[in-house]
Amino acid sequence: MDLGIVASIVLLLVWAAGTWFEIGGWVHLLLTAGVFLFIWRVVARGNPAATGKR
């Protein structure tokens, strides 16, 4: 599994824990970063030009 996908899942888990314990409003930036990173890595894995494969 791609390290970026694992990192995005970790960000989303930290966000979920943060909302559960009501840490603060800034924790929602983790949701934005996690979803962005996940979508970016999934698209990059499907793009042959980004991986150097044909």
Side-chain angles (χ1 to χ4, degrees):
M1 187 180 289
D2 189 12
L3 185 61
I5 293 174
V6 173
S8 68
I9 291 171
V10 169
L11 283 173
L12 293 173
L13 289 174
V14 171
W15 168 79
T19 56
W20 179 264
F21 295 112
E22 299 177 4
I23 291 177
W26 61 269
V27 78
H28 296 297
L29 291 174
L30 296 175
L31 173 65
T32 304
V35 170
F36 171 78
L37 185 60
F38 183 77
I39 292 171
W40 178 42
R41 293 311 304 162
V42 167
V43 170
R45 284 183 69 192
N47 186 0
T51 60
K53 299 177 184 175
R54 291 185 187 224

